[in-house]
Amino acid sequence: MEIRHLNTFKAVIQTGSFTKAAELLNYSQSTVTFHIKAIEEELGTPIFDRIGKRIFLTEAGEKLLPHAIQILNVFRNVKEATGEHGEIKGQLKITAENYST
């Protein structure tokens, strides 16, 4: 899953609209649709329900949201820690939890 796709996902949620997300990100609406479809294809399930002109997160979308935000925050932190010559500065802590059912 690409960072830009997750960024688009977050923008759609923030704006409540594919069209407004496209405007916010300076994308075409078809690009936003492509990014969302790419996520849905990778997950194998819809992340939005489209009812008329309104969109709602599906259960899968609800589960994806906190992880998308976390990944985007880590990515932003890494970019901020990158030095002028592409050198990484500071500490990067990565943790993983196993949620066995």
Side-chain angles (χ1 to χ4, degrees), residues 74 92-96:
V74 168
L92 173 63
K93 295 181 183 181
I94 300 174
T95 61

Side-chain angles (χ1 to χ4, degrees), residues 63-81:
K63 289 179 180 178
L64 174 62
L65 180 58
H67 299 290
I69 291 170
Q70 185 177 21
I71 290 166
L72 290 168
N73 286 338
V74 168
F75 184 72
R76 186 190 72 239
N77 290 341
V78 168
K79 282 180 67 174
E80 288 174 359

Side-chain angles (χ1 to χ4, degrees), residues 33-48:
T33 300
F34 174 80
H35 288 183
I36 298 305
K37 284 186 186 258
I39 293 171
E40 291 176 332
E41 286 177 12
E42 188 163 340
L43 295 177
T45 189
I47 56 174
F48 288 107

Side-chain angles (χ1 to χ4, degrees), residues 6-86:
L6 293 176
N7 194 48
T8 300
F9 172 64
K10 184 179 168 197
V12 170
I13 293 167
Q14 287 174 327
T15 62
S17 158
F18 282 38
T19 301
K20 290 178 184 174
E23 291 171 6
L24 176 69
L25 298 170
N26 293 317
Y27 290 160
S28 67
Q29 185 173 346
S30 62
T31 299
V32 170
T33 300
F34 174 80
H35 288 183
I36 298 305
K37 284 186 186 258
I39 293 171
E40 291 176 332
E41 286 177 12
E42 188 163 340
L43 295 177
T45 189
I47 56 174
F48 288 107
D49 278 328
R50 295 149 180 96
I51 302 171
K53 292 187 177 191
R54 299 190 64 193
I55 57 169
F56 303 91
L57 282 173
T58 62
E59 184 177 339
E62 292 277 353
K63 289 179 180 178
L64 174 62
L65 180 58
H67 299 290
I69 291 170
Q70 185 177 21
I71 290 166
L72 290 168
N73 286 338
V74 168
F75 184 72
R76 186 190 72 239
N77 290 341
V78 168
K79 282 180 67 174
E80 288 174 359
T82 302
E84 193 174 305
H85 300 288

